[in-house]
Amino acid sequence: MATAEVASHEGHHHPTGIMRWLTTTNHKDIGTLYLCFSLTMFLIGGFMALVVRAELFQPGLQIVDPHFFNQMTTMHALIMVFGAIMPGFVGFANWMIPMMVGAPDMALPRLNNWSFWILPFAFTMLLSSLFVPGGGPAAGWTLYAPLTIQGGMSVDMTIFAIHMMGISSILGAINIIVTIFNMRAPGMSLMKMPLFVWTWLITAFLLIAVMPVLAGAVTMLLTDRHFGTAFFDPAGGGDPVMFQHIFWFFGHPEVYIMILPAFGIISEIIPTFSRKPLFGYTTMVLATACIAFLSFVVWAHHMFTVGMPLAGELFFMYSTMLIAVPTGVKVFNWVSTMWRGALTFETPMLFAVAVVFLFTIGGFSGLMLAITPADFQYHDTYFVVAHFHYVLFSGAAMAMMGGAYYWLPKWTGHMYDEKLGKIHFWLTTIFFNVTFFPQHFLGLAGMPRRIPDYALQFTEFNVISSLGAFGLGLSQLLFVYIIVKCVRSGVRATDEVWERPRGLEWTVPSPAPYHTFETPPKVI
């Protein structure tokens, strides 16, 4: 595949201690910062989800008052989407893209440092909004008007935090695009790039296209609140539904921003443990591009119940169903890669197979939601909650866990504890399904989402779901333990780590040196 000359640790002076992490422009250090930040936010957001599930364990008001319950659902979603999933994938991109394309670093290293350090300040502001008069934002992660027009000062803090997150995402995306286009190793054409690099290239364009849309929507909210405009305020002639249109024009591509890098990770793991090249590489690239394009023309499938004209309902129904085609191509290609391969089931492969299986369930429930007349029954029920957790947890979060196990030996120089990794996998998978599968039935029976209390007939499934949620949350503490243990000790990892993996990152030593590829590798 390639030859590589790797720089040694000697001869490179970089700060140590706290200043190394504050001032670093090294892509590996910044990738580590992103991943640690993402894991921290994952645990904080998960704790908020457990507050929600504890309240819903039994009917009646148990633990928190309804207003605080709404704050928890809102903050859980904002933190998981903008604080856990997105920075986590940017961490993978920072670590792996330069190594995968044979670049010495990211193209814009100082910008890279800045794009990370915006985030801790943004999330400190978001979390501190819980402690201001009136409490945190309580309008759901969608921040729908008129709830946000009427909310307290926490809404202003949330809007400012979202602007900062958006700046961070756009800077990171620009950096990734420039790196991929300008710093590939000699001989690495676009169609020789690993699929993880392709998925991130397409994701970066999505980020640049839609983050300004969210910024515009929340800025209009801000002016409605403080500067006398009435974009979304019916009292002044505004339209709350317009906010939904603008928000979901951002929101639907955002869903693919959170899942396409996961597809890239899965597409690296499955060929390695199948001992075969990825089946249909070109169609995978085209399918990723098709998904990204179609994500811009399906936004109003979140809004079938607002009273749009029949022609609009039909257009958004059919275009939503169309996205199933390129997604189905991906699933077919992953299964075909495994077909008649020499499969082994180490922890990364277990996660990858689970993602393919569980994400497909989420895809099918998405097709159910795409059918307009049926969606009138499903809309704003727990069926939707079940659907997007099957996409975002078993799609994005579990793909990140698989990616962490896959590349952890390359990052740390140690093998993780395989036995504990498999225990973590099975606990996560079982408890995930115990938590979210019953929610499909709750939704079909008509239980609305974002409510702190419910009718008696929903009790049994809610008890099961809450027990599963606490099991799922506690099993992630094992994940943290496995990572810490791997960083500190463990069997020395070889350079290749896995049996005959493909890609430039496996040509450098384990752990990957501070500076790689001072002499560009030649790709054959």
Side-chain angles (χ1 to χ4, degrees), residues 184-204:
R184 298 193 307 280
M188 180 171 282
S189 64
L190 287 173
M191 294 310 286
K192 282 186 182 174
M193 296 193 311
L195 210 77
F196 178 70
V197 180
W198 258 115
T199 54
W200 242 116
L201 179 63
I202 290 166
T203 301

Side-chain angles (χ1 to χ4, degrees), residues 37 41 118-129 131 157 161:
F37 177 81
M41 288 294 135
I118 292 171
L119 284 179
F121 294 97
F123 280 90
T124 301
M125 176 171 294
L126 182 62
L127 285 165
S128 62
S129 71
F131 305 102
M157 297 170 77

Side-chain angles (χ1 to χ4, degrees), residues 272-325:
T272 296
F273 296 100
S274 304
R275 276 86 186 165
K276 282 173 63 185
L278 183 70
F279 180 87
Y281 171 90
T282 307
T283 54
M284 287 292 255
V285 172
L286 292 173
T288 309
C290 280
I291 289 170
F293 172 75
L294 289 171
S295 73
F296 283 99
V297 293
V298 297
W299 77 88
H301 66 206
H302 300 268
M303 302 167 53
F304 282 145
T305 57
V306 301
M308 71 174 90
L310 182 63
E313 289 181 346
L314 288 171
F315 171 81
F316 286 108
M317 178 168 85
Y318 292 133
S319 60
T320 302
M321 290 177 149
L322 200 58
I323 276 197
V325 177

Side-chain angles (χ1 to χ4, degrees), residues 66-320:
H67 184 55
F68 188 74
F69 180 90
N70 288 345
Q71 292 171 46
M72 286 292 98
T73 55
T74 303
M75 292 290 277
H76 161 71
L78 287 170
I79 284 168
M80 286 302 200
V81 168
F82 295 109
I85 302 291
M86 290 171 69
F89 282 131
V90 178
F92 278 102
N94 262 291
W95 249 105
M96 300 315 303
I97 287 175
M99 288 166 65
M100 286 177 157
V101 301
D105 206 311
M106 296 293 277
L108 306 162
R110 291 186 180 180
L111 194 73
N112 207 11
N113 174 288
W114 195 42
S115 63
F116 171 75
W117 280 109
I118 292 171
L119 284 179
F121 294 97
F123 280 90
T124 301
M125 176 171 294
L126 182 62
L127 285 165
S128 62
S129 71
L130 286 168
F131 305 102
V132 300
W141 85 280
T142 50
L143 304 174
Y144 276 1
L147 289 170
T148 35
I149 294 173
Q150 298 159 358
M153 65 186 285
S154 61
V155 177
D156 302 321
M157 297 170 77
T158 303
I159 288 169
F160 193 45
I162 285 172
H163 275 300
M164 293 166 76
M165 297 167 209
I167 292 166
S168 169
S169 295
I170 291 168
L171 295 180
I174 290 168
N175 210 346
I176 286 165
I177 291 169
V178 176
T179 303
I180 293 170
F181 279 148
N182 290 348
M183 299 186 70
R184 298 193 307 280
M188 180 171 282
S189 64
L190 287 173
M191 294 310 286
K192 282 186 182 174
M193 296 193 311
L195 210 77
F196 178 70
V197 180
W198 258 115
T199 54
W200 242 116
L201 179 63
I202 290 166
T203 301
F205 279 109
L206 283 179
L207 277 166
I208 290 172
V210 301
M211 291 312 288
V213 177
L214 177 65
V218 295
T219 304
M220 289 157 84
L221 264 183
L222 194 70
T223 61
D224 272 14
R225 285 169 55 81
H226 297 294
F227 298 104
T229 59
F231 294 112
F232 312 127
D233 188 352
D239 184 2
V241 174
M242 183 167 77
F243 179 86
Q244 295 189 31
H245 277 290
I246 300 169
F247 179 88
W248 285 115
F249 189 79
F250 147 80
H252 203 78
E254 166 68 14
V255 173
Y256 292 98
I257 285 164
M258 291 188 282
I259 202 66
L260 290 181
F263 290 170
I265 290 173
I266 299 308
S267 303
E268 299 299 323
I269 294 172
I270 288 177
T272 296
F273 296 100
S274 304
R275 276 86 186 165
K276 282 173 63 185
L278 183 70
F279 180 87
Y281 171 90
T282 307
T283 54
M284 287 292 255
V285 172
L286 292 173
T288 309
C290 280
I291 289 170
F293 172 75
L294 289 171
S295 73
F296 283 99
V297 293
V298 297
W299 77 88
H301 66 206
H302 300 268
M303 302 167 53
F304 282 145
T305 57
V306 301
M308 71 174 90
L310 182 63
E313 289 181 346
L314 288 171
F315 171 81
F316 286 108
M317 178 168 85
Y318 292 133
S319 60
T320 302

